[in-house]
Amino acid sequence: MKIAQKNKILETCLIAGRIMIESGSEMYRVEDTMNRIAYNAGIQKSVVFTTPTGLFIGIENQPYVQLGAVAVRTINLEKVENVNTASRQFATKEITLDQLMLRLKQIDQDTAHFPLWLQITAAAVISAFLMIIFSGEYDWLDIIPSAVAGALGYAAFAAVNRVTTIRFIGEFLSATVIGIVAYLLTRRHLGVDIDNIIIGAVMPLVPGVAITNSIRDLLAGHLLSGMVRGMEAILSAFAIGTGIALVFRFFM
């Protein structure tokens, strides 16, 4: 196999792995996908090392290694599924290596996101119904206030993340907005229990996927990735709690 072909295979594996890490995939799934792409392309033994901020791939007993940086980390499971589908098509010889690389670049650039209005609407619905589940009582009077607080909080979260790349600022400010909205609604007698309203409204911000992936990575033996993702989830939860605590400190 020529050097250029080996480099192309490694580059394709890096693109696939980077997309999956940036989209919130588990590390063992990333490594498995990269190894399968390399194997199906003709590399019998590849060596893969992944972290939440970068990944490496090489060929065993050969001086071929490439590395890639992970710039952002978010949750987009559609991209993870699209990469898995493309890798399976490559494994069954439905597409060539060049077509796989082109498909991966298209997935990286063109995968559509849900419009903001739909995300805000979903946040409102989730806030309303999870308020009942987590409060432990059928507080029907606080369904609409919880939906309003959750929608405004998520809108604030999206707006902050659009203008800054600083982690955890969005969670903190959106939780503060939720606390203020819940306080104002109860003061105007539009809501009954401020605790129940806040419990439901913060649920769209809770890093549930990050916590789950952290535990799965730890159980799969990826201790570094599991601890890093777990710490990110803890800091996100701390930012949410701090925002709510400030509202209680200054308004209650």
Side-chain angles (χ1 to χ4, degrees):
M1 186 182 298
K2 296 182 179 180
I3 297 177
Q5 182 68 8
K6 292 180 179 179
N7 288 331
K8 181 182 293 186
I9 295 172
L10 297 182
E11 181 182 358
T12 303
C13 294
L14 277 181
I15 295 174
R18 177 182 56 79
I19 294 173
M20 295 181 73
I21 294 177
E22 290 180 348
S23 302
S25 176
E26 307 92 327
M27 290 301 174
Y28 73 87
R29 189 187 303 273
V30 175
E31 292 186 358
D32 180 69
T33 300
M34 294 175 68
N35 284 322
R36 288 179 183 274
I37 292 175
Y39 180 82
N40 292 318
I43 296 177
Q44 298 299 317
K45 292 185 178 181
S46 57
V47 180
V48 177
F49 180 73
T50 58
T51 70
T53 56
L55 63 164
F56 305 80
I57 184 170
I59 303 176
E60 187 174 313
N61 298 324
Q62 295 188 33
Y64 300 100
V65 177
Q66 289 192 20
L67 59 91
V70 179
V72 295
R73 290 185 301 277
T74 183
I75 303 298
N76 192 331
L77 300 183
E78 182 180 0
K79 282 189 175 183
V80 176
E81 172 60 24
N82 289 340
V83 171
N84 282 331
T85 300
S87 67
R88 293 189 190 99
Q89 291 176 340
F90 178 66
T92 57
K93 308 301 181 183
E94 297 179 35
I95 58 177
T96 64
L97 181 64
D98 291 331
Q99 291 173 330
L100 175 61
M101 178 179 287
L102 180 60
R103 182 78 58 83
L104 292 174
K105 291 180 178 179
Q106 290 174 345
I107 293 171
D108 190 22
Q109 297 175 1
D110 301 336
T111 300
H113 294 271
F114 290 108
L116 181 59
W117 68 267
L118 185 57
Q119 296 180 41
I120 294 174
T121 302
V125 174
I126 290 172
S127 300
F129 287 98
L130 290 184
M131 181 272 296
I132 297 176
I133 294 175
F134 286 100
S135 66
E137 57 185 81
Y138 295 103
D139 188 4
W140 303 109
L141 296 177
D142 286 328
I143 285 183
I144 295 179
S146 182
V148 172
L152 293 177
Y154 190 86
F157 176 75
V160 172
N161 287 340
R162 186 172 298 178
V163 299
T164 182
T165 58
I166 301 176
R167 297 295 303 273
F168 314 119
I169 295 295
E171 287 91 340
F172 169 73
L173 293 179
S174 58
T176 304
V177 169
I178 288 172
I180 294 174
V181 171
Y183 170 76
L184 294 176
L185 289 174
T186 52
R187 281 296 299 270
R188 298 288 182 178
H189 303 291
L190 299 175
V192 177
D193 193 326
I194 186 173
D195 294 335
N196 290 350
I197 295 173
I198 291 176
I199 287 173
V202 300
M203 283 302 135
L205 305 178
V206 173
V209 176
I211 295 173
T212 302
N213 286 346
S214 171
I215 296 174
R216 295 185 69 175
D217 284 340
L218 289 172
L219 294 177
H222 295 273
L223 301 181
L224 177 61
S225 300
M227 288 188 292
V228 170
R229 285 184 166 177
M231 182 57 64
E232 284 186 341
I234 291 173
L235 290 175
S236 295
F238 178 78
I240 296 170
T242 302
I244 298 298
L246 284 178
V247 175
F248 276 82
R249 172 63 178 82
F250 291 105
F251 291 91
M252 301 298 289

